Amino acid sequence: MMKKKILLSENDIPRCWYNIVADMKNKPLPPLHPATKKPLEVSDLEPIFATELAKQELNDTDRWIEIPEPIRELYKNYRPTPLVRAYGLEKALDTPAHIYFKNESVSPVGSHKLNSAIAQAYYCKEQGITNITTETGAGQWGAALSYAASHFDLNLAVYMVKISYHQKPYRRSIMQAYGAEVIASPSMSTKAGRKIITENPTYQGSLGTAISEAIELALNTPNCRYTLGSVLNHVSLHQTIIGLEAEKQMEIAGEYPDIVTGCFGGGSNFSGITFPFLRHKLTEGKEVRLIAAEPASCPKLTRGKFEYDFGDEAGYTPLLPMYTLGHNFAPANIHAGGLRYHGAGTIVSQLKKDGYIEAVDVKQLDTFEAAILFAKAEGIIPAPESSHAIHTAIQEALKAKEEGRQKTILFNLSGHGLIDMAAYDRYFDGELSNHELGDEEIAKTTNTLEHLVP
């Protein structure tokens, strides 16, 4: 009998996260203080983040960072997650490729986001912080942090991108069920939100806008810190638990991936599945292709500029060296709300610049076509975000078929789509469309960036 799922025991949950920056020859350029333009220190980040998270953000020397035991205990609620051989998809494609997916959709909130939410909530609680804020696009991160905040008895305010607030009401309900306050962004509750609404009353929001509001609230609320679900180094660090488990599972399967892919918004799940495999390329020269799959409507890696830019729309964050479309870029209202972000994380950006990773942009209709094929073949309805990775895996499997070569492909199923069925309804009714950007539209926001890269 062919083995469908490769499972690990709770004892196999990794005891350390992997910090890839320690192994990078060209480390990411430092984040800069927006006023002084000098490299940040931990003390610069402490007003925004819990101290331990600030230290992790700037740590470029320690390859392994120990996972505190209370975090590992909570991970046991859903980890280790299965590695699944996609025999049904292979058959549907009639491909010689072996396709595997890491099923992060089995977490209590249905996505990979819980891996960092638990860690960030834990460090805030340990520091004696009582209130936290965050942003969320599709609602996956907001749901995950709501779960973690409830466990650690933290008060949480979530600024949810307005278009997703209305498109995904049940994910909003999940956050409220865990006790979080959910605010549609842009809102009238912050200076940043009021300014944006005044200038554009019909604006449906972006992750950059929601980040501005969440940071502003954190800075003006006693004993409060901000938490972020993607982009930053410490988030990518926490997510490496995905790839570290997958390494063990691929070894049990007797294979090593030729290609690893994940969808890409700010970089959290892509980093999580790829960095542990990239470690062997950096330290041993082992060959593997790493492909980030982003929306064609928000193509920061494929068409953005590598510059210093703010991580939010209002300019509250440090200046980050990254591939960006400009912090005032307004993404189209696609249903993959978790990928509607203007910039890429600094680590991924440096790796892309140095040629270690590839990037492709995927049209919205193509992602839903891939999602339906996957659902029929494997029985799981994927999140619109994850469907970008599925489309990319399918394309690579079809190339293997054309070439008559057996390739091993691994992708991260970062979340299920059971709360995204309104998007599927619109797809079935023919109401969705592709949105591609012209060069002039991109230049309008990227040409305003200050040139600070050496």
Side-chain angles (χ1 to χ4, degrees):
M1 182 181 292
M2 298 185 297
K3 196 170 183 65
K4 180 68 174 175
K5 296 191 300 293
I6 299 171
L7 305 174
L8 300 174
S9 74
E10 291 178 358
N11 289 333
D12 293 315
I13 295 174
R15 297 186 178 276
C16 294
W17 295 300
Y18 170 56
N19 179 18
I20 195 172
V21 184
D23 286 328
M24 291 171 63
K25 181 180 178 182
N26 296 325
K27 300 186 187 302
L29 296 170
L32 302 180
H33 192 289
T36 65
K37 304 296 193 293
K38 292 183 178 179
L40 287 182
E41 298 181 359
V42 169
S43 59
D44 296 315
L45 293 175
E46 284 181 305
I48 302 176
F49 301 107
T51 299
E52 187 59 35
L53 297 171
K55 290 178 180 177
Q56 290 177 1
E57 182 65 23
L58 299 181
N59 188 327
D60 63 1
T61 55
D62 296 321
R63 177 182 292 173
W64 300 104
I65 294 178
E66 185 176 353
I67 303 174
E69 199 56 34
I71 295 177
R72 290 188 76 249
E73 283 300 312
L74 257 185
Y75 279 166
K76 288 178 183 178
N77 286 352
Y78 63 103
R79 305 210 71 86
T81 59
L83 181 75
V84 184
R85 176 75 181 269
Y87 289 112
L89 185 59
E90 293 172 14
K91 182 179 179 181
L93 299 173
D94 188 27
T95 177
H98 293 180
I99 306 173
Y100 293 85
F101 62 92
K102 184 72 164 147
N103 190 359
E104 291 293 300
S105 76
V106 300
S107 83
V109 295
S111 83
H112 73 289
K113 292 291 188 176
L114 204 49
N115 301 326
S116 187
I118 289 171
Q120 293 190 52
Y122 167 80
Y123 287 121
C124 287
K125 183 68 174 180
E126 283 294 289
Q127 192 172 319
I129 293 162
T130 57
N131 298 279
I132 55 176
T133 70
T134 197
E135 80 299 321
T136 194
Q140 299 276 27
W141 169 246
L145 192 63
S146 299
Y147 173 97
S150 176
H151 178 83
F152 289 108
D153 196 25
L154 299 168
N155 297 312
L156 170 63
V158 181
Y159 284 91
M160 187 175 188
V161 175
K162 188 172 288 184
I163 185 67
S164 294
Y165 184 92
H166 296 297
Q167 284 179 344
K168 304 174 190 293
Y170 296 120
R171 199 157 279 137
R172 184 175 78 224
S173 298
I174 289 174
M175 294 181 243
Q176 292 168 331
Y178 288 127
E181 179 185 4
V182 188
I183 307 105
S185 173
S187 75
M188 296 298 288
S189 68
T190 65
K191 180 180 176 181
R194 290 192 295 272
K195 180 176 185 294
I196 291 166
I197 290 173
T198 301
E199 294 174 352
N200 187 353
T202 62
Y203 185 46
Q204 292 299 296
S206 71
L207 280 167
T209 299
I211 290 170
S212 294
E213 294 205 89
I215 292 176
E216 182 179 327
L217 181 63
L219 291 172
N220 289 284
T221 303
N223 204 23
C224 186
R225 293 296 186 278
Y226 167 67
T227 57
L228 184 64
S230 190
V231 183
L232 294 179
N233 295 3
H234 66 267
V235 184
S236 295
L237 172 76
H238 303 152
Q239 293 295 353
T240 57
I241 195 166
I242 303 171
L244 292 169
E245 285 182 4
E247 269 190 300
K248 295 180 183 179
Q249 290 163 314
M250 291 298 298
E251 187 176 347
I252 293 170
E255 300 203 66
Y256 191 87
D258 299 296
I259 297 165
V260 185
T261 185
C263 64
F264 194 91
S268 67
N269 93 87
F270 175 78
S271 301
I273 190 69
T274 60
F275 283 2
F277 291 99
L278 180 54
R279 167 171 114 256
H280 300 293
K281 187 169 186 174
L282 293 174
T283 61
E284 306 162 24
K286 196 172 182 70
E287 279 306 312
V288 61
R289 288 178 61 206
L290 310 169
I291 307 174
E294 63 183 6
S297 60
C298 198
K300 76 282 291 183
L301 285 174
T302 51
R303 299 176 66 190
K305 278 188 177 180
F306 184 79
E307 291 284 2
Y308 273 97
D309 193 14
F310 292 104
D312 71 311
E313 187 162 347
Y316 291 150
T317 69
L319 288 163
L320 304 174
M322 60 184 181
Y323 280 98
T324 177
L325 296 167
H327 63 276
N328 54 350
F329 172 77
N333 295 330
I334 60 170
H335 273 272
L339 307 186
R340 297 173 66 250
Y341 184 66
H342 66 273
T346 62
I347 300 174
V348 171
S349 292
Q350 186 63 49
L351 292 168
K352 167 73 165 50
K353 187 170 182 286
D354 291 341
Y356 286 106
I357 69 169
E358 307 169 34
V360 294
D361 57 3
V362 188
K363 298 175 183 177
Q364 178 167 241
L365 294 179
D366 290 342
T367 66
F368 277 90
E369 182 182 346
I372 296 302
L373 175 59
F374 180 76
K376 290 178 178 177
E378 295 296 328
I380 300 172
I381 299 173
E385 292 81 9
S386 307
S387 303
H388 291 68
I390 294 171
H391 176 271
T392 303
I394 288 172
Q395 294 306 303
E396 292 299 327
L398 291 175
K399 287 179 187 175
K401 179 180 177 179
E402 290 173 10
E403 297 167 1
R405 295 175 56 196
Q406 189 277 309
K407 294 181 182 178
T408 300
I409 301 168
L410 169 65
F411 71 88
N412 194 28
L413 181 66
S414 54
H416 66 62
L418 298 181
I419 308 176
D420 296 289
M421 297 315 296
Y424 282 90
D425 283 346
R426 293 197 65 200
Y427 174 72
F428 295 138
D429 291 341
E431 296 176 5
L432 297 186
S433 60
N434 293 322
H435 181 85
E436 294 184 77
L437 298 165
D439 292 339
E440 289 183 6
E441 194 174 353
I442 293 176
K444 191 184 301 182
T445 49
T446 56
N447 287 347
T448 63
L449 296 169
E450 185 178 359
H451 184 64
L452 297 172
V453 173

